């Protein structure tokens, strides 16, 4: 059986090959009835449009770039999946790049993607504001978990959920807390620390600040060791991966959780639900973050001169088994 072409589709539909081409490249120029007929026949014949050929007509690569700060962090796989699924529904592919927590690499990758993609999403960037602005000049760009006034952004706002986490611990009798700060170049780490400080001041409780620590399992173990040098009975870890390192360090030293220490993470990655004890944390709206980022980027690609968009999606506190009463009963 021969491979279907726009000519075989045109013959079946009784229209010109040019009309079939417009259906796939400039659908707004074709009537809905003809568009529906052509796409139905194309599906029946198993026709797949040629992206390269379509790009010659539209002037687009039909690919978006996605730069993540650290692909080994379990926060990113669900986010990448959400972005990919949304991009696919919008007829785009995703080119994924790992910056390996390097600000210089982020800027370098943006430059390398220019001309290969229609726009770029930079997730949890470590670069300075000035570097990001310069790198994104003339390129549709959306920042994830990093707001800048003149670049579109989508962020997860965990402030309310972290207040809920603090209240949860306070109701359990905890009065001395440790803040296990995340990477110093991370905007999310700074915002989470700020929220926890605000809650502690408002509650009038003691807050011991430790770190910064890398957002890795090893960084979490170092944070756990530092925690045991204090008399804090409850700890806020920067993220779930750090929190799991804390749990491992405490377990290795024979410190029961939540018997002697309570631990809270952030993001609610799969690891948070599979670790023992299961991790009390803040759920990030991964599907919403990824989908919104792609939708905003698509609008930036279609209208490059439009005003930047800024979206905040709330996190939700989830209590599990790594937190409990103090003193333990």
């Amino acid at each position: 059986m021969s491979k279907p072409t726009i000519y075989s589709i045109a013959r079946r539909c009784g229209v010109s090959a040019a009309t079939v081409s417009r259906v796939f490249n400039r659908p707004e120029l074709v009537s809905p009835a003809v568009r529906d007929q052509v796409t139905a026949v194309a599906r029946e014949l198993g026709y797949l449009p040629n992206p390269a050929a379509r790009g010659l007509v539209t002037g687009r690569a039909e690919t978006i770039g996605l730069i993540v700060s650290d692909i080994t962090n379990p926060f990113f796989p669900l986010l990448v999946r959400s972005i990919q699924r949304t991009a696919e529904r919008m007829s785009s592919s995703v080119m994924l790049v790992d910056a390996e927590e390097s600000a210089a690499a982020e800027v370098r990758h943006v430059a390398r993607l220019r001309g290969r993609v229609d726009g770029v999403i930079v997730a949890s960037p470590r670069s300075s504001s000035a570097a990001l602005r310069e790198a994104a000049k003339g390129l549709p760009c959306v920042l994830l978990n990093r707001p800048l006034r003149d670049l579109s952004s989508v962020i997860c706002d965990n402030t309310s959920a972290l207040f809920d986490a603090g209240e949860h611990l306070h109701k359990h009798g905890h009065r001395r807390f440790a803040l296990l700060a995340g990477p110093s170049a991370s905007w999310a780490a700074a915002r989470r620390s700020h929220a926890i400080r605000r809650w502690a001041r408002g509650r009038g409780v003691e807050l011991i600040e430790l770190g910064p620590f890398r957002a890795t399992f090893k960084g979490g173990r170092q944070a756990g060791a530092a925690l045991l040098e204090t008399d804090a009975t409850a700890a806020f870890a920067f993220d779930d991966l750090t929190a799991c390192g804390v749990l491992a360090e405490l377990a290795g030293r024979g410190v029961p959780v939540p018997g002697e220490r309570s631990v809270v993470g952030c993001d609610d990655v799969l690891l948070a639900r599979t670790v023992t004890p299961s991790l009390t944390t803040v759920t990030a709206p991964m599907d919403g973050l990824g989908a919104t980022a792609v939708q905003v980027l698509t609008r930036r690609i279609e209208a490059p001169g439009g005003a930047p968009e800024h979206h905040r999606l709330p996190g939700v506190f989830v209590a599990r088994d790594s937190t409990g009463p103090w003193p333990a009963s």
Side-chain angles (χ1 to χ4, degrees):
M1 184 177 179
S2 60
K3 185 178 180 180
T5 66
I6 62 172
Y7 301 100
S8 58
I9 295 171
R11 286 193 296 270
R12 281 282 299 272
C13 295
V15 298
S16 69
T19 297
V20 175
S21 178
R22 280 193 290 273
V23 167
F24 294 108
N25 298 314
R26 298 292 302 277
E28 71 278 6
L29 300 179
V30 184
S31 70
V34 172
R35 192 164 63 235
D36 291 345
Q37 180 191 20
V38 169
T39 54
V41 170
R43 281 195 300 271
E44 179 187 338
L45 297 179
Y47 172 75
L48 295 174
N50 185 323
R54 187 162 59 238
L56 292 174
V57 176
T58 63
R60 294 182 184 172
E62 296 194 340
T63 301
I64 62 174
L66 171 58
I67 301 173
V68 300
S69 59
D70 179 11
I71 195 62
T72 66
N73 190 306
F75 172 80
F76 288 109
L78 289 178
L79 182 65
V80 171
R81 176 178 288 179
S82 172
I83 289 171
Q84 180 171 291
R85 285 177 173 174
T86 307
E88 186 174 0
R89 287 196 294 270
M90 304 179 88
S91 301
S92 288
S93 300
V94 177
M95 186 179 295
L96 175 64
V97 181
D98 176 22
E100 300 183 45
E101 291 217 67
S102 166
E106 284 173 354
V107 172
R108 187 168 63 248
H109 289 312
V110 171
R112 288 177 177 171
L113 288 173
R114 191 181 294 272
R116 301 182 185 182
V117 299
D118 299 316
V120 64
I121 297 169
V122 187
S124 302
R126 302 293 193 247
S127 303
S128 69
S129 298
L132 287 170
R133 289 189 184 97
E134 183 64 27
K137 273 186 180 177
L139 178 67
C141 180
V142 174
L143 304 181
L144 259 169
N145 278 343
R146 174 74 174 276
L148 281 182
R149 184 177 56 189
D150 43 359
L151 290 177
S152 293
S153 62
V154 181
I155 69 170
C156 179
D157 188 347
N158 292 317
T159 301
S160 179
L162 288 170
F163 273 52
D164 290 342
E167 290 301 301
H168 165 78
L169 292 167
H170 192 269
K171 288 176 183 176
H172 274 310
H174 295 275
R175 298 296 182 268
R176 292 185 302 280
F177 299 82
L179 167 59
L180 311 178
S184 56
S186 166
W187 175 86
R191 292 300 300 172
R192 292 173 191 182
S193 294
H194 178 69
I196 293 164
R197 290 188 198 107
R198 278 181 55 202
W199 172 81
R201 282 197 303 269
R203 259 296 172 193
V205 296
E206 181 182 356
L207 182 66
I208 302 164
E209 299 197 28
L210 304 172
F213 301 99
R214 291 193 64 192
T216 62
F217 184 79
K218 181 179 180 181
R221 295 207 68 144
Q222 293 168 344
L227 172 63
L228 290 176
E229 296 297 317
T230 75
D231 60 356
T233 62
F236 297 91
F238 162 62
D239 65 2
D240 292 341
L241 184 56
T242 304
C244 287
V246 173
L247 293 178
E249 183 67 19
L250 298 184
R253 298 195 184 200
V255 178
V257 175
E260 293 186 16
R261 297 288 195 283
S262 285
V263 179
V264 175
C266 198
D267 294 331
D268 199 14
V269 300
L270 178 60
L271 194 60
R273 282 160 274 166
T274 57
V275 71
T276 301
S278 60
L279 188 62
T280 293
T281 188
V282 173
T283 300
M286 295 298 190
D287 287 343
L289 289 170
T292 303
V294 174
Q295 291 159 4
V296 171
L297 182 61
T298 300
R299 290 193 287 270
R300 301 299 295 164
I301 292 168
E302 293 174 348
E309 299 182 36
H310 302 286
H311 299 264
R312 289 176 177 263
L313 283 66
V316 178
F317 173 66
V318 178
R320 295 200 181 101
D321 296 335
S322 66
T323 52
W326 178 260
S329 57

